[in-house]
């Protein structure tokens, strides 16, 4: 067995039992791992139209053949049917060290079904697996859960995934946290994990990794390492990732008018400098932290140096600070860093949470909801204290938090009074921090993405293929700017002994994408009815910035969408012909 | 460890001139990426095997911060003194590199474990996950791979033996708490508590 470890851990929490399954290599060759394998397993294991929070709904943590083996291969893919959208499949990727530790314990994935009677955590020390009582951890934040478990196990090398209070209480967009600041959060993985009464998964492995053709593999390895190392200083994206992390991206997204500002009403913000990566470097940055084997180490660890929250550490990146920052017009840097860290601590998807918050702010501004509805919170734009108070309601699911914890789609349906117009989601998943009035390709991406309003689907056909392949091989999608598909295919072949041609990259990618689309079709998603954008994108032109007046007209959107279907279908037909 | 068993990602070979020295650790710069573990295990084991690496990263709060741990080649060698193997001890100094090396055939393994307990660092000697024999940093026979691969500059090879490596060799908890004190000056809550460690 090379590349893969050859085992999948199949856990049934209802019976407190587990099986160690052999990885079917034919299946592995067809679906590789991560997002590809996940779509297949979800199709097989969950009956059509099942409730995403059904106790037998699987929550999968999947690896790929080259994850843990080369720089960038630190990712872990969580795969499940999304409790937030209720219909679509969902994957959520988390980096750092859990993936490699799981691989080193000898597994290519964990499939969790069932529901534990009382809170448990799963302990995986190589093939020694146990279900441990987690009553003392229930109600604890993700940070405290990590601290307590590390202390209890007296091990500074264990890696864990945990959920916070949001996941325990069933907030639909709750996430799973790993290593304090890394999240697999989109689509509600934490909600599903919480519904299973599973507080955490702790893993520690001691196995080494074999590859099929070591000489060849380490040659490719070295090439990738050298390319990334060079990119640290010589490539624009590499340099800024190392120095400021992705949160600096909010500045250039604002410059080209594609940043979520004020609940996607605007796309350019003159105050962006107050909260962006540059400001973070000046005020808070302490050091870089990185995922396993990555020479970039783009996670920027910082600390709030004074004020109410002095001493609190945080690791802001673009995704986790954009919708809660510019999206809610927060200009207080330390406040934003605090909120960012608080979101991680509560175990919640900061992207969706920011959307929900800015949506609620707009509802409040427009008088759709009142101060009384909000339990006395004066939820004005940029009010950090009010945001924190609202978040507490959301994670506790109290008062208006009960409605908001279901996401903007359901909240807009409940509020009515035209709130749907600016409920920024697609298929129930909130937008991923990009305003689309001026950048139409970003709008199209949100509309056609398989997990909903997801900014990781890819802007072009090529990027979509690259992203789905990266998420299946489980390598970092950021590295797509530096490493070409051919190199990854060489690494895949050398690691596993498969004989894929370079051109199989697109074949595999299309297979995974069509499978995901087929799954959504099976669950009732209809392209023309559901691949749509909220009305704000079509009807609310930008009022400031270089792209003032820009809008994504609905006719153009429909044409773009049709064009996209055509390209995808033509590609598919050509595949069958050949 | 036999030369040629593993892969040198650096591509260097033993024809290069070996200079005695040791690996310098700048804890502040460590990102916790563990490329060092991987380069180490590739050289010593011939495959990626983080758990069999001679250098390893521990994670501490607050922060979290990562601390690389490895043998600093102290001159008083408490590990050698502690080794009970007779007549010739299992741990010795390699004349060429100056590194402390453990002969795997002679080592009694984890059941003995006296060298690990004697270590000033308390953690620099660990046990191989498969053979359970003591393993430590042997400077990759003079050309350390971890120092070569470290992209952040946390590890570097310091030629010459200017001072005693034992100055590095503090308990990891102590290193972590000092580092946290330095990095998070406002973090009164956590660091003050930990200063006493």
């Amino acid at each position: 067995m090379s590349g893969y470890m050859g085992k999948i851990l199949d856990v049934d929490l209802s019976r407190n039992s587990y099986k160690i399954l052999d990885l079917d290599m034919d299946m592995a060759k067809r679906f590789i791992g991560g997002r590809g394998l996940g779509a297949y397993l979800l199709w097989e294991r969950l009956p059509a139209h099942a409730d995403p929070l059904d106790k037998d709904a699987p929550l999968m943590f999947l690896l790929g053949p080259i994850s843990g083996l080369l720089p960038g291969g630190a990712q872990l893919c969580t795969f499940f049917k999304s409790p937030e959208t209720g219909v679509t499949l969902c994957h959520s990727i988390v980096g750092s060290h859990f993936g490699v530790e799981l691989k080193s314990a000898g597994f290519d994935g964990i499939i969790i079904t069932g529901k534990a009677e009382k809170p448990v955590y799963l302990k995986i020390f190589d093939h020694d697996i146990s279900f441990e009582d987690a009553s003392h951890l229930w109600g604890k934040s993700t940070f405290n859960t990590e601290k307590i478990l590390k202390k209890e196990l007296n091990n500074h090398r264990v890696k864990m995934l945990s959920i916070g209070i949001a996941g325990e209480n069933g907030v639909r967009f709750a996430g799973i946290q790993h290593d304090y600041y890394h999240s697999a959060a989109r689509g509600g993985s934490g909600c599903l994990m919480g519904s299973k009464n599973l507080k955490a998964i702790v893993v520690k492995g001691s196995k080494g990794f074999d590859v099929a053709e070591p000489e060849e593999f380490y040659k490719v390895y070295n090439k990738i390492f050298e390319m990334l190392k060079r990119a640290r200083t010589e490539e624009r994206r590499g340099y800024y990732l190392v120095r400021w992390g992705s949160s600096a991206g909010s500045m250039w997204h604002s410059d080209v008018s594609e940043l979520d500002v004020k609940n996607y009403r605007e796309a350019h913000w003159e105050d962006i400098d107050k909260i962006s990566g540059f400001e973070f470097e000046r005020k808070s940055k302490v050091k870089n932290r990185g995922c396993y084997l990555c020479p970039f180490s783009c996670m920027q660890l910082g600390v709030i140096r004074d004020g109410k929250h002095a001493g609190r550490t945080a690791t802001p990146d673009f995704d986790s600070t954009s919708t809660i920052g510019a999206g809610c017009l927060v200009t207080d840097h330390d406040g934003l860093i605090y909120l960012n860290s608080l979101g991680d601590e509560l175990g919640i998807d900061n992207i969706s949470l920011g959307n929900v918050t800015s949506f609620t702010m707009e509802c409040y501004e427009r008088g759709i909801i009142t101060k009384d509805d909000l339990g006395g919170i004066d939820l004005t734009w940029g009010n950090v204290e009010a945001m924190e108070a609202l978040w507490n309601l959301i994670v506790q699911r109290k008062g208006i938090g009960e409605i908001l914890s279901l996401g903007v789609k359901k909240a807009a349906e409940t509020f009515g009074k035209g709130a749907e117009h600016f409920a920024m989601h697609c298929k129930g998943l909130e937008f991923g921090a990009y305003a689309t009035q001026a950048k139409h390709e970003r709008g199209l991406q949100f509309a056609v993405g398989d997990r909903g309003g997801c900014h990781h689907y890819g802007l072009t056909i090529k990027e979509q293929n690259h992203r789905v392949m990266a998420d299946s091989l489980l390598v970092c999608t950021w590295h797509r700017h530096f490493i070409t598909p051919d190199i990854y295919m060489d690494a895949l072949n050398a690691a596993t002994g498969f004989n894929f041609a370079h051109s199989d990259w697109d074949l595999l990618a299309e297979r995974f994408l069509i499978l995901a689309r087929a799954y959504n079709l099976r669950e009732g998603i209809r392209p023309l009815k559901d691949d749509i954008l909220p009305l704000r994108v079509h009807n609310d032109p930008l009022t400031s910035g270089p792209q003032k007046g820009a809008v994504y007209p609905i006719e153009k959107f429909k044409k773009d969408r049709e064009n996209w279907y055509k390209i995808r279908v033509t590609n598919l037909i050509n595949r069958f012909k050949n | 460890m036999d030369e040629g068993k593993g892969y040198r990602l650096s591509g260097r070979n033993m024809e290069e001139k070996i200079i005695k020295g040791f690996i310098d650790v700048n804890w502040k710069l460590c990102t916790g990426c563990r490329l060092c573990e991987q380069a180490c295990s590739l050289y010593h084991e011939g495959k990626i095997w983080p758990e069999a690496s001679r250098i390893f990263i521990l994670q501490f709060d607050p922060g979290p911060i990562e601390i690389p741990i490895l043998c600093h080649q102290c001159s008083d060698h408490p590990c050698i003194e502690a080794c009970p193997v007779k007549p010739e001890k299992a741990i010795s100094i390699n004349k060429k590199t100056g590194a402390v090396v453990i002969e795997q055939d002679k080592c009694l393994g984890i059941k003995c474990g006296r060298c690990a307990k004697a270590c000033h660092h308390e953690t620099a000697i660990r046990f191989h996950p498969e053979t359970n024999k003591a393993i430590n940093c042997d400077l990759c026979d003079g050309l350390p791979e971890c120092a070569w691969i470290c992209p952040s500059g946390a590890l570097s090879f310091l030629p010459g033996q200017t001072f005693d490596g034992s100055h590095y060799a503090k308990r990891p908890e102590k290193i972590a708490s000092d580092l946290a004190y330095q990095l998070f000056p406002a973090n009164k809550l956590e660091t003050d508590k930990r200063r006493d460690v």
Side-chain angles (χ1 to χ4, degrees):
Chain A
M1 195 66 60
S2 302
Y4 296 98
M5 299 308 278
K7 302 282 175 201
I8 297 242
L9 178 62
D10 191 351
V11 177
D12 184 352
L13 287 171
S14 300
R15 293 185 184 80
N16 265 12
S17 68
Y18 67 89
K19 281 180 287 193
I20 295 176
L21 309 175
D22 286 327
L23 180 72
D24 176 350
M25 283 314 283
D26 288 336
M27 176 180 81
K29 195 166 179 185
R30 270 168 35 227
F31 300 104
I32 305 296
R35 225 168 122 184
L37 188 61
Y40 172 75
L41 289 173
L42 192 67
W43 180 292
E44 291 284 306
R45 284 188 165 239
L46 191 64
H49 310 297
D51 179 0
L53 292 176
D54 188 282
K55 75 176 175 44
D56 289 324
L59 171 62
M60 297 179 271
F61 301 94
L62 300 167
L63 296 172
I66 54 174
S67 55
L69 293 177
L70 43 76
Q75 312 299 84
L76 172 80
C77 174
T78 56
F79 212 99
F80 49 97
K81 187 175 178 184
S82 168
E84 192 179 9
T85 67
V87 280
T88 63
L89 48 66
C90 190
H91 68 275
S92 194
I93 310 281
V94 59
S96 206
H97 297 270
F98 190 89
V100 63
E101 213 56 53
L102 181 62
K103 193 158 195 167
S104 132
F107 295 108
D108 291 311
I110 315 173
I111 302 173
I112 290 166
T113 50
K115 179 182 176 176
E117 269 176 35
K118 53 181 182 38
V120 292
Y121 76 86
L122 186 62
K123 195 169 121 191
I124 305 169
F125 276 31
D126 285 324
H127 281 204
D128 182 10
I129 290 131
S130 59
F131 301 85
E132 307 281 342
D133 178 41
S135 325
H136 62 302
L137 300 170
W138 207 252
K140 295 270 191 308
S141 71
T142 55
F143 295 177
N144 282 336
T145 304
E146 289 220 10
K147 271 180 207 163
I148 293 169
L149 280 179
K150 275 177 189 163
K151 205 167 176 192
E152 272 180 22
L153 298 165
N154 192 22
N155 193 325
H156 293 283
R157 274 171 76 82
V158 292
K159 302 294 169 191
M160 67 189 82
L161 301 171
S162 63
I163 56 164
I165 300 146
E168 292 172 7
N169 292 342
V171 175
R172 290 296 188 273
F173 45 91
I176 298 174
Q177 286 294 128
H178 162 50
D179 210 2
Y180 300 81
Y181 303 111
H182 294 253
S183 328
R186 295 241 72 188
S189 52
C191 177
L192 181 56
M193 191 156 152
S195 80
K196 298 184 176 307
N197 269 341
L198 181 62
K199 178 70 181 172
I201 304 175
V202 184
V203 65
K204 180 83 206 75
S206 70
K207 293 185 175 58
F209 312 138
D210 291 311
V211 289
E213 296 154 33
E215 290 290 341
E216 191 55 36
F217 183 80
Y218 294 117
K219 219 191 275 171
V220 183
Y221 176 103
N222 238 352
K223 202 164 159 186
I224 291 178
F225 176 70
E226 289 295 341
M227 286 167 103
L228 292 175
K229 207 171 145 194
R230 203 173 52 236
R232 277 168 63 95
T233 47
E234 290 177 19
E235 301 246 6
R236 174 177 68 90
R237 284 195 178 86
Y239 178 81
Y240 95 67
L241 264 187
V242 175
R243 179 150 172 206
W244 301 291
S246 60
S247 62
S250 57
M251 287 178 302
W252 20 109
H253 292 313
S254 169
D255 292 348
V256 296
S257 291
E258 58 174 14
L259 180 71
D260 162 29
V261 179
K262 210 179 174 190
N263 195 27
Y264 304 89
R265 182 66 194 82
E266 299 299 333
H268 168 86
W269 194 29
E270 53 207 24
D271 281 341
I272 193 67
D273 280 347
K274 291 184 181 163
I275 56 163
S276 76
F278 286 6
E279 186 69 5
F280 176 76
E281 191 195 43
R282 283 193 289 268
K283 278 189 135 170
S284 291
K285 181 171 169 176
V286 170
K287 71 200 276 277
N288 287 44
R289 289 186 70 236
C291 296
Y292 179 69
L293 296 193
C294 184
F296 278 7
S297 299
C298 67
M299 300 300 277
Q300 312 285 326
L301 180 67
V303 63
I304 301 171
R305 297 194 189 266
D306 45 34
K308 200 164 133 198
H309 304 295
R312 193 182 177 98
T313 55
T315 306
D317 65 357
F318 174 70
D319 300 325
S320 65
T321 51
S322 45
T323 57
I324 62 173
C328 297
L329 298 187
V330 174
T331 48
D332 168 11
H333 174 266
D334 286 353
L336 176 63
I337 301 302
Y338 168 68
L339 288 175
N340 164 265
S341 170
L342 181 67
D344 287 344
E345 187 167 6
L346 297 168
I348 198 160
D349 176 6
N350 274 0
I351 300 179
S352 289
L353 182 60
N355 277 282
V356 169
T357 313
S358 57
F359 166 77
T360 315
M361 283 172 166
E362 184 155 358
C363 287
Y364 180 57
E365 189 187 52
R366 288 168 180 263
I368 295 173
I369 51 172
T370 63
K371 203 168 174 177
D372 284 347
D373 294 331
L374 288 166
I377 302 170
D378 184 25
L379 195 68
T380 46
W381 293 103
N383 185 340
V384 173
E385 265 105 52
M387 284 168 76
E388 188 184 349
L390 182 75
W391 291 9
N392 279 327
L393 289 181
I394 292 174
V395 295
Q396 302 291 350
R397 302 189 69 186
K398 283 187 184 143
I400 198 159
E402 176 70 40
I403 302 163
L404 294 175
S405 71
L406 303 176
V408 293
K409 184 184 178 203
K410 302 258 166 57
E413 282 164 8
T414 314
F415 294 160
K417 299 179 190 164
E420 286 96 343
H421 181 88
F422 53 86
M424 305 304 282
H425 70 87
C426 179
K427 305 186 186 78
L429 187 73
E430 289 81 3
F431 274 19
Y434 292 106
T436 58
Q437 283 96 326
K439 291 285 165 182
H440 299 167
E441 65 274 24
R442 294 219 182 256
L444 184 68
Q445 152 178 261
F446 287 151
V448 299
D450 50 33
R451 59 177 179 176
C454 151
H455 62 300
H456 274 202
Y457 194 67
L459 298 178
T460 58
I461 298 286
K462 191 178 157 215
E463 191 191 330
Q464 285 158 10
N465 287 0
H466 196 120
R467 279 186 180 273
V468 74
M469 279 305 285
D471 292 346
S472 302
L473 294 168
L474 268 314
V475 290
C476 179
T477 46
W478 264 106
H479 292 178
R480 74 182 183 281
H481 299 297
F482 320 108
I483 314 286
T484 58
D486 291 357
I487 297 177
Y488 283 131
M489 286 312 257
D490 289 342
L492 173 65
N493 286 339
T496 57
F498 294 159
N499 303 311
F500 288 114
H502 286 172
S503 59
D504 287 339
W505 177 267
D506 288 327
L507 170 80
L508 289 167
E510 280 165 28
R511 178 183 295 156
F512 305 155
L513 289 173
I514 201 72
L515 179 58
R517 200 148 250 277
Y519 182 89
N520 286 349
L521 275 171
R522 188 185 83 168
E523 299 303 311
I525 293 283
R526 295 292 171 262
L528 295 179
K529 185 168 75 66
D530 295 303
D531 288 355
I532 52 168
L533 293 172
L535 289 173
R536 163 153 290 171
V537 176
H538 308 306
N539 296 351
D540 291 356
L542 302 176
T543 63
S544 65
Q547 295 279 359
K548 192 174 168 184
V551 77
Y552 195 0
I554 193 154
E555 299 77 28
K556 177 159 189 296
F557 165 65
K558 283 184 176 167
K559 217 170 152 191
D560 288 348
R561 189 177 62 178
E562 196 187 324
N563 200 23
W564 186 83
Y565 292 151
K566 266 187 193 153
I567 296 172
R568 280 291 177 199
V569 171
T570 318
N571 285 353
L572 201 65
I573 292 169
N574 288 341
R575 291 266 174 233
F576 281 114
K577 274 188 194 157
N578 300 329
Chain B
M1 186 54 55
D2 298 333
E3 168 65 17
K5 183 175 178 181
Y7 298 89
R8 277 195 188 272
L9 283 170
S10 61
R12 298 177 295 185
N13 59 46
M14 297 312 290
E15 282 154 23
E16 283 189 34
K17 198 183 163 204
I18 306 293
I19 304 169
K20 281 188 188 179
F22 53 66
I23 296 164
D24 171 58
V25 188
N26 186 341
W27 292 288
K28 212 155 101 176
L29 295 177
C30 177
T31 65
C33 72
R34 294 161 79 191
L35 272 160
C36 50
E37 288 185 4
Q38 183 260 12
C40 178
S41 60
L42 260 178
Y43 178 66
H44 290 103
E45 305 291 337
K47 58 179 170 181
I48 298 176
W49 195 348
E51 210 46 29
S53 165
R54 274 67 172 160
I55 179 171
F56 57 104
I57 308 287
L58 298 180
Q59 191 187 64
F60 291 91
D61 293 311
I65 41 183
E66 279 82 10
I67 307 289
I69 303 292
L70 72 161
C71 173
H72 291 295
Q73 327 290 350
C74 315
S75 59
D76 56 345
H77 305 116
C79 47
I80 301 184
E81 260 171 45
C83 181
V85 180
K86 283 174 184 166
E88 274 180 25
K89 298 197 180 241
I91 314 178
S92 59
I93 314 282
N94 184 310
K95 286 203 180 81
K96 201 164 119 198
T97 62
V100 175
V101 289
I102 304 174
E103 277 179 61
Q104 299 291 294
D105 298 343
K106 287 189 191 164
C107 177
L108 302 175
I110 195 165
K111 280 179 194 154
C112 163
R114 289 188 208 177
C115 52
K117 280 179 209 130
C119 174
H120 291 318
H121 219 13
E122 291 194 13
T123 35
I125 295 179
R126 63 204 303 236
F127 297 91
H128 193 284
E130 224 159 57
T131 65
N132 283 330
K133 299 285 173 77
I135 50 176
N136 81 324
C137 169
D138 61 359
L139 298 172
C140 294
D141 300 312
L143 300 170
E145 288 292 289
C146 56
W148 175 83
I149 205 162
C150 182
S152 66
L155 302 171
S156 48
F157 184 67
L158 220 54
Q161 289 170 318
T162 329
F163 51 87
D164 193 327
S166 66
H167 297 304
Y168 289 99
K170 307 289 176 234
R171 289 176 61 203
E173 287 85 355
K174 167 81 177 148
I175 299 170
S177 66
D178 287 351
L179 186 63
Y181 191 77
Q182 180 194 1
L183 293 178
F184 315 120
N187 202 330
K188 292 273 181 264
L189 263 176
E190 301 254 7
T191 43
D192 279 1
K193 241 188 299 170
R194 295 190 59 90
R195 282 297 280 176
D196 309 327
V197 171

